[in-house]
Amino acid sequence: MTTSSPAPARTRVAIIGAGPAGLLLGHLLGRHGIDAVILESRDRAYVEQRQRAGILEQGTVDVLRAAGAAERMDREGLRHDGIELRFDGRSHRIDLPALTGGRSVMVYAQTEVVKDLIALRSEAGAPLLFEAEVLAVEGADTTAPRVRYRHQGREHTLACDIVAACDGFHGIGRRSLPAAHVFERTYPFSWLGVLADVPPSCDELIYAHHPRGFALHSMRSSTVSRLYLQVDPEDGLDTWSDARIWDELATRFALDGWELTPGPITDRSITPMRSFVSEPMRHGRLFLAGDAAHIVPPTGAKGLNLAAADVTLLAAALLRWYRTGDETGLDAYSDEALERVWRAEYFSSLMTSMLHTDPTADPFAQRLQLAQLRHTVDSAAASTSLAENYAGLPLPCIDELT
């Protein structure tokens, strides 16, 4: 149950953050009898309405199905077997199953994944405390860590075996590591993202490169479109009227015989583009997962999927440890997770540089960018590499959690 009562004084795993990473980790552990308490600083309404990713790669879909958390996703989600690259007035389809041995992606919003996992936790009667502000992680380098938090005006201490920080870039988890190596890159553009109450004008996602900037046509359902425009980082929302947004989208998506259908815009935001990795992802009994450890530009659709991969790996390692005392999975967690993280960082950076218009690029660099796009769609090897990374790498530890 989601509860307003104080959490137990002791649990095996204390999870900070009720985003998809924290909720999925709690669910995976709970299915195998490993109790966990989830602490979330925001209220439930905020968590369930927070707009983020909407593309689930094959491994994430497989994990949700194996965990019994995919019933609504399989009913309402939209399976996609390809993506479209659009540039130079032409369209090029990347056939994901044909190039990856059958893998595909699922369009299913992060908000819906979160709602499903919260509902499952509530049905299980497992503790999930909203508006619980974590104040400190103590004793991470001991065998008895503790989490201090404030809930309903009172401070509490939660003793545990393990702390899993799934609390995002600004959370206390990453700040609790005594020493970390930070790698980051900021891109010279941002994304203006909008939700619109209009059926998608495409059957599969369109990634468009245009001299005026990148554009992406995605969707949340058969009746709701999700669209993005590359914009200047200094732009404010007040400079982008509905009419200007639709006109610019139509310009960047322009293709003979194809038409973009506008509709009422219900939500809009501007997001900076950056890459970030913090190493290591573990200190003693404190483990980081998801945005607490890494951020990718959204061009590669990897953020939510990396978080799911992190906690799947961590859940399998914890299960082995609790069952047999074998700590090898826990000891290897950071290195194994980071190997996948850097692969995703590479792919996301590649997609970002290939598709966006660099305002500082000279004509030579612009021609090189077009040459890279043409090579990607003309070369079977290059198309296969894109498809394999987009559909996602397999998760070998799923079988341990079924």
Side-chain angles (χ1 to χ4, degrees), residues 52 169-170 185-193 228-235 269-276 295-299 352 356:
R52 292 290 188 273
F169 178 80
H170 297 290
R185 171 180 294 172
T186 301
Y187 297 87
F189 35 75
S190 295
W191 270 20
L192 167 62
Y228 300 91
L229 282 169
Q230 174 187 343
V231 299
D232 189 288
E234 302 301 319
D235 281 2
S269 62
I270 293 180
T271 304
M273 299 283 283
R274 58 182 174 144
S275 301
F276 175 89
I295 293 174
V296 291
T299 327
T352 300
H356 288 71

Side-chain angles (χ1 to χ4, degrees), residues 40-60:
E40 167 58 48
S41 63
R42 302 281 194 162
D43 62 29
R44 179 171 179 171
Y46 178 90
V47 171
E48 292 187 338
Q49 294 168 13
R50 185 165 42 195
Q51 293 292 335
R52 292 290 188 273
I55 306 298
L56 308 183
E57 63 185 36
Q58 186 68 63
T60 304

Side-chain angles (χ1 to χ4, degrees), residues 89-126:
R90 294 184 296 161
S91 170
H92 310 267
R93 184 174 184 267
I94 304 295
D95 189 324
L96 299 178
L99 295 168
T100 64
R103 283 182 281 157
S104 61
V105 297
M106 182 78 74
V107 174
Y108 191 64
Q110 174 174 311
T111 52
E112 307 315 300
V113 174
V114 166
K115 290 173 187 175
D116 293 344
L117 290 170
I118 288 176
L120 287 169
R121 192 160 187 85
S122 181
E123 291 170 12

